[in-house]
Amino acid sequence: MDNKGQLSVEVLFLFTISIVVLIVFTIPLGHLAISNTLDIVNVLNAEAEINQLANGVDMVYCQGAGAKRVETIELNKDLTVFVKPKYLSGDIVFGDGNIKRISENHKATNVFSNLYLSRGINKVLISWEEDSSNIVLKKIWFLFLFVNNIYIF
């Protein structure tokens, strides 16, 4: 009778040790995998949004002086977009501190600026004024109007 009780305690002890070892190795590896996946999602999101801005610059450039366009950009992280002739670029910082530069080409040769886009929804005005020789990108504020409330973003 005593041998059966001893066997139950040993089985419980081995089961507990195996669960602790599993938790010690699984949780850090799971956290690392999730962190890497979120970094990839942020890069893909930023690439898509910079591509949308580059397409907007192309549209304004092709339409000529007097053209305007508003693009809605939604980002997971803050991003500074460097607007240069022929390309747009931005740097994404990963969770481990590494930096990835994202760039997209466009056709305009008369565009120079830097544009800070915050996390969330941003409205960007891309305009080429009639009396100017340069295309300008700037963040604009917009209103969400609801029944009794006004929300400013």
Side-chain angles (χ1 to χ4, degrees), residues 7-27:
L7 185 60
S8 293
V9 171
E10 288 173 355
V11 168
L12 286 174
F13 182 69
L14 286 174
F15 180 72
T16 304
I17 298 254
S18 62
I19 292 294
V20 168
V21 167
L22 183 66
I23 289 172
V24 165
F25 288 110
T26 303
I27 291 177

Side-chain angles (χ1 to χ4, degrees), residues 2 5 12-14 55 59 71 85 89 123 129-130 135 150:
D2 290 333
L12 286 174
F13 182 69
L14 286 174
N55 289 337
M59 292 294 290
E71 294 288 344
S89 66
K123 293 275 189 181
E129 299 298 328
E130 298 229 9
I135 296 174
I150 297 177

Side-chain angles (χ1 to χ4, degrees), residues 117-131:
L117 301 174
S118 58
R119 179 178 185 244
I121 298 174
N122 299 276
K123 293 275 189 181
V124 177
L125 174 65
I126 306 167
S127 64
W128 187 354
E129 299 298 328
E130 298 229 9
D131 58 349

